Amino acid sequence: MSAALLSTKLYIPPPRPNAVSRPRLLARLHAGLHGRLTLVSAPAGFGKTTLVSAWVAECGRPVAWLSLDAGDNDPTRFLTYLTTALQRVAPDLGAGVLNALRSLPPPSLEALLTALVNELAALPTPSLLVLDDCHIIESVAVGEALTFLIEHLPSSLHLVIATREDPPLPLARLRARSQLTEMRAADLRFTFDEAVAFLNQAMGLDLSADAITALEARTEGWIAGLQLAAISMQGHEDDRAMFIDSFTGSHRFVMDYLVEEVLAQQPAAVQTFLLRTSILERMCAPLCEAVVGVDAGEGQAMLTWLERVNLFLVPLDNERRWYRYHHLFGDLLRQRLTASLTADDTVNIAALHHRASQWFEINGLLLEAFQHAVAAHDIDRAAYLIEGDGMPLHFRGAVTPVLTWLAALPVHELDAHPNLWIAYASALLFVGQMARIEPMLQAAEAVLPADPIDAEMRDLVGRIASIRATIAVSQHQAETIVTQANRALEFLHPHNLPVRTATTWALGYAYELQGNRLAALRAYTAAVAAAESIGHFIMHLMSMLGIAHIQEADNQLHQAAASYRVALKLAGDPPLPAASGAHLGLARLHYAWNDLAVAEEHARQSLHLARQLENTDRFLACEVMLAQLLLARGEVAAAWAQLVATAQAAQRPHLIRMLPEIAAAQVDVLLRQSKVEAAAHLAQRHALPFCQVRVHLAAGDAASALALLDSLRTDAEAKGWQDDLLKVTVLQALAHQAQGETEPALRRLAEALTLAEPGGFIRIFVDEGASMAQLLTTAAAHSVMSGYVCKLLEAFPTSALPLADDRGSDVVPRPSPLPEPLSSRELEILQLIAHGLSNQEIGDRLFLALDTVKGHNRRIFEKLQVQRRTEAVAKARALHLLPQQ
Amino acid sequence: MAEQGRRTPRPDRPMYYEIRIAGHLGVEWMEWFGGLTITQEPDGDTRLTGVITDQSALYGLLRKVRDLGLTLLAVNLLTDPYDRSLDDCSNTQSKE
């Protein structure tokens, strides 16, 4: 969408300079401001826009204006324009909504409207929103959106709707509650006095009362009619009486009569200009010149003149660059144009549309170029323009007009232009209508050679495969993705970077699903490079997430965190919902580092964003993370309750693949509650090997645990899976310890520590509880990696640590304990202080009042015997209460 | 007993309609209104008659009436006894 057209829809029409003043109507409108809605409902040409623009100019409130057109039947486009319009009265409003509208697939309309309405409630000044030409809205979805808006309208926003027919809104209800002000045709007709003011003063005619009465009767006070009659009479200086007689004596449809009159009075050049430009929805001087076929400069002169003589030209901006005809006048001109051209005419309507299409294309306005090509019935040209110069139109906010046109095309035209079958499939993919796609791809294949030589055709074959790969991604079918993606990459044009990038990412995803981490990393890295080169930031983001996953799986926690942060930056502010994956990753990492407060913050952010993504299981993973955090804090019952709810929510066909992950977390809770049998049952049912190991250990069966761990280890080593290897090694150490085999236990522990230290893992040890604490204490006594071991021991809750006297611990270099240890809440706050958060931010994050935070801070400083934050952080680090930076 | 010549209306079938508006329109409006026959009545109304493809096409025509600011007086399904033959009449077929 071009910026120029965008702003013309939002342009607030200034009051007409010579408009008849209508104080009685303005007074009624002002009085209606206490209600929710002002409805101005009357046929074309009754002065609705003129009245409303005069009113808003003096209403004393900030005004947002949106002129609706056919394209706004697309809910995404409607909401985008609505939000942008509202930003004229509140610049910060709806940034999140606009961002969310750019994601694929876009979130639910209701979610976005709710967000918007909530933001509207915070409008500082009472404001006005005008929706002009509302009759154009036929889409059920947008109609419902409007109803929602009206029903939830905050008192700070008054809505004005101008329309040619009553909208499908709950008007009766609003009337009953006195929330509705109506201006209808009967109100808007010129009264006799207004007609006098208009004809004699504004239009400078000098008509008698009888003449005006006759005109008013004939036009029935219809303003557009009176205006055209006036223009016509301005040209009929000598024979006004005759004009009036003929006009009033005729049965002919008023506007038809008058347009003919007025046109006949104009020089031929003007007539041609008016008729030919009538095909344009909006026009500027150079465009008019191209369409009409006149020299440069003449277009502007004509437009200026037309505006001056009130010939129904409406300016669309302050610069006097873009205009349109009043809709009614434009329709009448169009009808005359159609009727006036004969079959011999060299310049027929298709030719005019063609000229317009070319001008729009040269000026980079591809959607309009496409629409005029369609109007010219030039399928070849439309098919070419749909490709949008590399980025197809349906990806640029034009999916509805594209789909509408394609749906109306006869099959033989689609067969003649196979790229249209593919565009059709691609557009349907964009709107999520997966079921209709495969037949179209097959139709395209039916008319394409199987192994084409021509580069363009090979690219089409590649695009077909790429679409199949994308569908397979949504179904998590790794083999299909690999086959189709590789095929796509073989056939796609080397310059078709947008599709190549998406395909490479899909390949990475497939390899990740298959557990082939090296290949996945390669593919994701290639996808990042490609995405960066074309500035495709969504693909860049998704590829960074892929890389981060692999790094995390390779125990490279710090690198993974860096990658997740790059992804977050790409997601923008406010973030795209796709950022939820980055937040969840960071939650896992901070959990692994025992930064529980930070982990929780990320998990909540991830959940919040995940809720905006429809049809994904992401929110389930977030809930599992939150349950794990509860468990880590010792809130066992709460953790269980969360997981039960999550498991319940996962009982839907597209979500059940998450059940094993949820069950694994449930096993952890059950084992903490010493419910070994129940844990065993779950581990068995969902075939969770690591859970089964823990169950064996809890049941005292270390031998079975070791047997299972042996096979898991072989597996992990064969696949090169570092994360599983670490888990196995930790559990092997514990299993040996359980059997009293201290040497093997310490060896395995040392191995695990070596694997874990670079990544800074803490929780993986702490979560194993008292038995691990005991083993670590033993290791400390043997001076095994004393720094890291000390740090790990500090992280255990004191209840898990063995008593200081137990082990002859003089040999162990224990840091001097505090006279009064910090509570877990105080430790949490200290961690946030170390992260640089202000007291207010800490309060927000932990849901504490500011005073409470300050109170905690005082206690912390007392216990640490320091005066200020920097000292507190330093001392805590020295005491290993906080991780070193 | 079914009325002579009247078929049961269905939303997807072409039907023979009459649309009545106030004010006279000339025959040059025929193409604008999808090929309907235009008849000027002595009382100042205009009748637009012809076969309309289906309900959606009918509403499309009514919208055109609305957008021109014409006053809509009536929309009638005709029970002209000749209309069985008019169903096959292609030159009044709506192009909508």
Side-chain angles (χ1 to χ4, degrees), chain A residues 32 34-36 173-181:
Chain A
H34 73 274
R36 281 191 196 201
R173 210 188 308 153
L174 290 168
R175 260 185 221 115
R177 296 191 198 147
S178 305
Q179 289 289 321
L180 175 67
T181 303

Side-chain angles (χ1 to χ4, degrees), chain A residues 433-487:
Chain A
Q433 288 188 30
M434 310 291 222
R436 297 175 56 192
I437 293 176
E438 184 57 32
M440 299 202 176
L441 296 178
Q442 287 174 5
E445 284 176 324
V447 295
L448 283 169
D451 193 8
I453 306 193
D454 173 67
E456 302 275 328
M457 281 204 220
R458 287 183 73 80
D459 191 62
L460 291 180
V461 171
R463 285 169 62 185
I464 293 173
S466 173
I467 293 176
R468 290 201 172 115
T470 307
I471 295 181
V473 166
S474 71
Q475 296 164 340
H476 312 291
Q477 289 175 349
E479 280 79 40
T480 311
I481 301 174
V482 173
T483 314
Q484 293 298 330
N486 278 324
R487 179 179 164 79

Side-chain angles (χ1 to χ4, degrees), chain B residues 8-19:
Chain B
T8 317
R10 272 175 42 173
D12 58 342
R13 258 212 214 119
M15 304 301 299
Y16 193 62
Y17 272 97
E18 163 195 84
I19 299 174

